Amino acid sequence: MVLSRRSTLITFCLLVAVTFSVATANDTRSYRVEVSGTGRPILLIPGLASSGDTWATTVAHLRSRFTCHVFTLAGFAGTSPIDGPLFTTVQKDLAGYIREHRLEHPIVIGHSLGGMLAMALAADHPDLVGPLVVVDGLPFLAGPNMQVKNAEEARPVIAKMEAYMSKMTQEQWDTYAKSGVSTRYMVTSPSDADTLTKWSAATDRQTLIRALTEAYTVDLREDVAKITSPVLALGTWRGWHDQLAANKIDVPKAAFAQSFAEQFAKVPHLHFALHDTARHFIMWDDPAWFFGQIDAFLTDPIAATRDRGFSGK
């Protein structure tokens, strides 16, 4: 994927999403969680600057067969922030949550940043988790979006991004968050776009900046080799295509598929599917396709990953 660095710095500021309940002012945990349904446990992890309501239709689809644990990350979409790093804290706390509640190899579904968290959790604790579903997330986010080969090359770009966002006045920040500029290519429906804008505006500024810079420094391309669980990776093309087309840049769908293939190359047991028209929030844009992919995978994850999904291989 070829993106201008300036568009990456600005447009990608509010990329990832998911979650449900509201934290209290004195809550120091890195998440809030709501549990519903019955059956094998599923953890649903949010992405950047969004509410767990992202998963509302997904939970409705799954709750008769699975117990759904829907997380809200601290500082996102009106929840209370925590001090210190978010990514590593959430990763550690998720492992603790699984142990505390004695969840037997739960399925983990993560959207974007949540997908990165799911992969990091499974790589560090392969004994704790079951099948993974990574929804439009990558092991190394900075690679295609900043056109860098490794985290070291990304650091100067990340520093500029962090400085740019940090120097914005609160009025500039609020105006930007409420404008919808950063989220307009992530969904198709205008009402869904309005929802993302509201979540972005309600997200704690320092949490968002910190989480975004953390996400861009994470490189899991080698670590994913330690994941023993079957992995379903779902990707999108249309949102990025339209965003780049607005800047008169044309990136073929095959290039996006190739980018995913390279990023997930070392995942031992993988099946990948790329949606032609849905945008970043696949579960909203095409729920029938999304649920069909998840249902088929969860029916027999091992069989599903016999076909990696790239050019029939």
Side-chain angles (χ1 to χ4, degrees):
M1 303 177 208
V2 180
L3 307 174
S4 73
R5 288 192 174 183
R6 178 162 182 80
S7 68
T8 295
L9 298 186
I10 303 224
T11 306
F12 228 75
C13 285
L14 304 171
L15 174 59
V16 198
V18 185
T19 276
F20 271 97
S21 57
V22 178
T24 58
N26 62 354
D27 197 332
T28 58
R29 294 178 301 171
S30 64
Y31 61 81
R32 292 296 305 273
V33 61
E34 284 195 356
V35 182
S36 64
T38 182
R40 183 176 182 177
I42 294 182
L43 311 187
L44 295 110
I45 310 175
L48 192 72
S50 298
S51 162
D53 283 343
T54 299
W55 298 120
T57 54
T58 305
V59 170
H61 179 75
L62 296 173
R63 62 185 298 169
S64 65
R65 296 169 287 153
F66 301 93
T67 301
C68 300
H69 302 249
V70 183
F71 291 82
T72 303
L73 303 192
F76 292 169
T79 60
S80 296
I82 59 170
D83 294 328
L86 186 67
F87 190 94
T88 53
T89 303
V90 172
Q91 182 185 343
K92 174 179 67 69
D93 288 351
L94 286 171
Y97 182 87
I98 294 171
R99 293 189 181 103
E100 177 187 354
H101 294 277
R102 300 174 187 247
L103 303 180
E104 186 68 24
H105 297 101
I107 298 159
V108 185
I109 302 177
H111 178 234
S112 203
L113 176 65
M116 294 176 67
L117 281 163
M119 288 184 281
L121 176 67
D124 284 354
H125 306 281
D127 58 317
L128 280 185
V129 302
L132 305 184
V133 180
V134 179
V135 184
D136 219 20
L138 292 169
F140 182 44
L141 185 63
N145 297 314
M146 293 182 174
Q147 292 296 286
V148 294
K149 296 179 181 178
N150 52 53
E152 191 60 34
E153 284 188 12
R155 293 188 194 285
V157 187
I158 295 168
K160 290 180 182 179
M161 177 188 71
E162 185 175 13
Y164 176 86
M165 292 189 292
S166 298
K167 288 178 181 177
M168 294 172 72
T169 67
Q170 190 59 45
E171 181 179 4
Q172 288 173 328
W173 180 269
D174 291 341
T175 299
Y176 175 70
K178 293 175 183 177
S179 70
V181 170
S182 62
T183 55
R184 68 175 53 160
Y185 293 103
M186 296 183 185
V187 289
T188 300
S189 163
S191 63
D192 289 340
D194 288 343
T195 296
L196 294 185
T197 299
K198 291 175 183 176
W199 291 348
S200 297
T203 291
D204 177 70
R205 173 178 177 172
Q206 294 306 316
T207 298
L208 189 147
I209 294 173
R210 189 165 61 244
L212 190 63
T213 56
E214 289 173 24
Y216 275 125
T217 60
V218 171
D219 185 353
L220 300 171
R221 288 175 296 177
E222 297 294 327
D223 292 341
V224 294
K226 297 183 289 185
I227 297 175
T228 58
S229 301
V231 178
L232 171 65
L234 302 178
T236 65
W237 170 66
R238 176 55 58 186
W240 276 117
H241 174 271
D242 290 355
Q243 180 178 324
L244 296 173
N247 294 317
K248 302 188 183 307
I249 300 172
D250 183 34
V251 178
K253 185 173 67 172
F256 280 79
Q258 181 60 30
S259 181
F260 278 98
E262 292 170 355
Q263 289 256 336
F264 285 96
K266 295 193 176 182
V267 177
H269 311 289
L270 175 80
H271 179 72
F272 170 75
L274 182 69
H275 198 294
D276 286 340
T277 58
R279 298 171 188 268
H280 188 53
F281 286 75
I282 312 174
M283 67 291 288
W284 292 358
D285 270 12
D286 193 344
W289 184 89
F290 180 72
F291 297 151
Q293 292 290 330
I294 289 180
D295 288 346
F297 174 69
L298 294 182
T299 296
D300 193 340
I302 294 175
T305 56
R306 290 183 186 133
D307 172 9
R308 291 184 71 84
F310 299 106
S311 301
K313 299 179 182 178

